[in-house]
Structure formats: structure tokens, C-alpha cells
Amino acid sequence: MGMEAIRQHTLIGFELLGIAAFALSGVISAVRKRMDVVGICACGFLAAFGGGTLRDLLIDRRPFFWVEHQLVLMGVLMLCVACATFLRRHDLMHSEKWLQIPDAIGLALFCTTGLHLSWTLGQPPAVAVMMGIITGTFGGVLRDMACNEIPSLFNDHRPYAVCALAGGLSYGGLAWLGAPEWLSIASCSLVTLGARLCTLWFDWRLPEVQHS
């Protein structure tokens, strides 16, 4: 297997793991809102595919990932139903950490795939980094809107998009220095995930805007 094939398989693996993580975060959000199975599947779908779909729209990539890989779509819907049943039985939906952990994993993986795809298409570095942030955060925005909540991206005050930015800058810095592609990819994922987990563990918060 050549290096190009390995790269493609790695990116698809990242995409699948990110989809599963965000789908789980959507399920947990929907279960906490006491939605029925349709609402649970809708939230799982929006969280899992929202960021990637917006990415594909912006870079004019067709077909969308979930259209091209319909087995993944069916797998996500099955995962939503199975996880919803498990979560209800074990009453895990009342703990915020069960939402934050898969959300952090999805953020890191989707940020990496979105940034790397844009970078390899020759987009300017700033645009590629922004594409990574959009891909990593938009699914969560749609999930929260479907749950009738202000998206946590905007009101949580704990760095979220900033974590994706840190991961993106680490990718860009290593790529500029001529580091191997795999190292840039790994750095983006690990920095984003590590930064997000640290914000949750240490409760780091961005300053609020004070109104007079």
C-alpha cells in the first residue's frame, strides 16, 4: 500500500471517528431534552454531519461525505438508536461530562480533517485554519440549536473554537517548517483535544463582555 493510500485511509478513519463522537454527543443532548427517537436521530445526524457538510459546501466538494458513504449514514442512525436505549437505561444523560468528552473528540478530529483537506487543495493557510474551525464547531452549533439552546460555542465561555485555532496553528507551523504530513495531522488533533480537555478540567474561561 502506497503512502497516498495510507493517507486517504487515515483521513477517512479520522472522519469516521469524528462522526461517531459527534453523533454520540447529539444523542446525549437529545436524550437530556427527553426527545423521542426521531428527535434523537435528527440531533445525532446534525451533530455528526453538519460540520463536514458545511465544509464540503464551502470547498465545492461533491458528493457530500454522507451521500457518498451511505453505509456510514445508516450506521450513524443505528448508533443513535442503540446509544439512546443505553443512555436511558443507565441514566447517564444528567451528567454534563458525558456530553463534553465525545464533543471534544469530535472537535479535534473534524478540525484536523477539515484543515488538512483545505490545505491539500491549496487554500491559503488562514483559510485552511478557518475551515478546520468551521468543520469542528458547526455540527455542535446545529445540535444545540435543534435542542433549543444557545450554542455552547457562543455562551459557554470555556475556550472551544480557540482550541481548534491552537490545533490549526500547530498544523500550519509544522507544515511551514517542512515537517512530515503525519506529524502535522497528529499535532492538530492532539493539541486541539488536549487544549479542550484542559479547559474542561481546569475550568478555564474567556472573559465576558461587560455591559454598562
Side-chain angles (χ1 to χ4, degrees):
M1 182 181 294
M3 290 302 298
E4 179 63 21
I6 293 176
R7 183 178 70 85
Q8 290 295 332
H9 282 82
T10 300
L11 291 177
I12 291 177
F14 272 44
E15 189 98 1
L16 293 176
L17 289 174
I19 286 171
F22 264 135
L24 181 57
S25 76
V27 169
I28 294 173
S29 293
V31 170
R32 293 174 68 185
K33 288 291 184 177
R34 300 182 181 277
M35 292 186 182
D36 60 21
V37 67
V38 175
I40 291 170
C41 289
C43 283
F45 173 86
L46 290 172
F49 297 115
T53 299
L54 179 59
R55 173 202 64 204
D56 292 346
L57 282 170
L58 291 174
I59 65 176
D60 196 25
R61 183 189 184 204
R62 299 292 188 281
F64 299 144
F65 185 87
W66 57 273
V67 175
E68 182 179 5
H69 302 278
Q70 297 182 33
L71 288 177
V72 178
L73 172 61
M74 299 304 299
V76 165
L77 297 178
M78 294 173 62
L79 177 67
C80 289
V81 175
C83 288
T85 302
F86 175 82
L87 289 173
R88 286 184 184 280
R89 184 181 304 140
H90 291 80
D91 203 33
L92 297 178
M93 73 288 291
H94 299 298
S95 178
E96 184 184 9
K97 69 178 181 179
W98 292 105
L99 172 61
Q100 298 294 350
I101 293 175
D103 184 76
I105 296 172
L107 172 68
L109 295 175
F110 268 19
C111 174
T112 302
T113 58
L115 191 162
H116 182 72
L117 180 59
S118 182
W119 191 283
T120 54
L121 289 175
Q123 299 289 344
V127 174
V129 172
M130 183 58 66
M131 194 67 67
I133 295 173
I134 291 172
T135 306
T137 60
F138 192 69
V141 170
L142 292 178
R143 175 199 66 212
D144 294 342
M145 291 176 63
C147 291
N148 198 30
E149 295 181 350
I150 298 175
S152 59
L153 173 66
F154 306 133
N155 77 333
D156 185 56
H157 301 300
R158 288 176 294 189
Y160 191 78
V162 174
C163 299
L165 174 61
L169 292 176
S170 72
Y171 180 106
L174 287 171
W176 181 74
L177 292 172
E181 187 178 80
W182 68 265
L183 184 58
S184 298
I185 292 173
S187 175
C188 184
S189 299
L190 294 175
V191 169
T192 303
L193 178 61
R196 180 56 180 167
L197 292 179
C198 283
T199 65
L200 298 174
W201 182 266
F202 297 107
D203 199 28
W204 293 337
R205 294 181 179 269
L206 297 172
E208 298 183 28
V209 176
Q210 300 295 328
H211 298 281
S212 56

